[in-house]
Amino acid sequence: MQPNRLPLPRQVEARIKERIISGECRAGEQLPSEEELAHEYGVSRATVREAVSSLALQGYLIKRRGVGTFVGQPDAISGGLESLISITEWIRQSGREPGTTFVEIDRRPPTAHERELFAPWKTEEVAEIHRVRTASQIPVLYCIDVIPGEFAPTKGSELDESLLTFLEKRWGQVIIFAQTEIDVVTASKPMADHLKVPRATPLLCLRQAHYNQHSTVLLWSQDHFLPGHFRFDVRRHRQ
């Protein structure tokens, strides 16, 4: 490798990224092993590992445990936060195929925060729904949704796609707007396992209180996005 002021992992990262952007390595193809890349670039496996991990966080590479590392989609799924559409539609509009690889529904008493949110429903039970959403079979998002128990699906297969569509078609509850907070969190072990990333990987979290056509909170969601797979656009106006 040529001398460069950049640290070695960043140099390797730039070389691999160049191969992906140029089309030499195409989306879906498996990357050579760490050992092969280390030999090719004349660096240690630890250096290659750091470079690959960085590219995975950016969405250029997908690390699949026990299988290998594959070239991802460099172009992020993008959209404006001012528009409230389902994750399913958002992924579909990007030209990818939306899917779900994991659904778990847990009925439990509401927390103090949820009692306050869902006060108009006077609910004594909520349904906490965990799902992993995919874009063209690549895990990109871990969703945690909480709704009053009376609106919960009876089985996971009812949530193959959009929860917003389910609430509208099944219960006539139309989500009109949402109040959103944005935060950065680290992936828990269950999230990391399902998203096939290392534990404590940074995730962009959107916490949202969704309001129905009567301006009543019906859904509390926490959507955990893998960096590099999504880009959020916000139009700001000077007051």
Side-chain angles (χ1 to χ4, degrees), residues 19 61 65 106 108 124 159 167 169 203 222 225 235:
R19 292 167 68 173
L61 298 174
R65 291 182 182 176
D106 178 37
R108 57 169 175 77
E124 293 301 320
L159 296 178
L167 291 171
K169 289 184 176 180
L203 303 174
Q222 298 181 72
F225 298 84
R235 180 174 295 179

Side-chain angles (χ1 to χ4, degrees), residues 22-137:
S22 69
E24 180 184 345
C25 297
R26 299 183 180 181
E29 289 184 355
Q30 186 168 4
L31 202 69
S33 68
E34 288 181 359
E35 184 175 356
E36 292 173 312
L37 289 173
H39 178 74
E40 179 179 348
Y41 295 129
V43 297
S44 68
R45 291 181 61 180
T47 296
V48 171
R49 189 176 302 116
E50 184 175 337
V52 168
S53 294
S54 177
L55 289 170
L57 287 176
Q58 298 173 55
Y60 285 93
L61 298 174
I62 305 296
K63 298 174 73 174
R64 297 176 182 168
R65 291 182 182 176
V67 181
T69 302
F70 296 80
V71 179
Q73 294 281 355
D75 298 326
I77 300 169
S78 63
L81 283 181
E82 68 276 3
S83 299
L84 181 60
I85 62 174
S86 70
I87 296 295
T88 297
E89 188 59 29
W90 197 358
I91 293 173
R92 185 172 287 125
Q93 286 183 6
S94 74
R96 297 165 174 82
E97 181 64 29
T100 304
T101 59
F102 169 75
V103 181
E104 182 177 80
I105 303 173
D106 178 37
R107 290 178 175 269
R108 57 169 175 77
T111 64
H113 178 241
E114 292 160 355
R115 281 189 182 278
E116 183 179 349
L117 281 176
F118 300 133
W121 303 107
K122 297 181 173 59
T123 184
E124 293 301 320
E125 182 184 72
V126 297
E128 181 173 313
I129 305 167
H130 290 235
R131 291 181 296 160
V132 175
R133 305 307 311 276
T134 60
S136 297
Q137 301 183 337

Side-chain angles (χ1 to χ4, degrees), residues 147-158:
I147 56 178
E150 61 192 276
F151 298 109
T154 56
K155 52 186 178 180
S157 60
E158 295 181 77

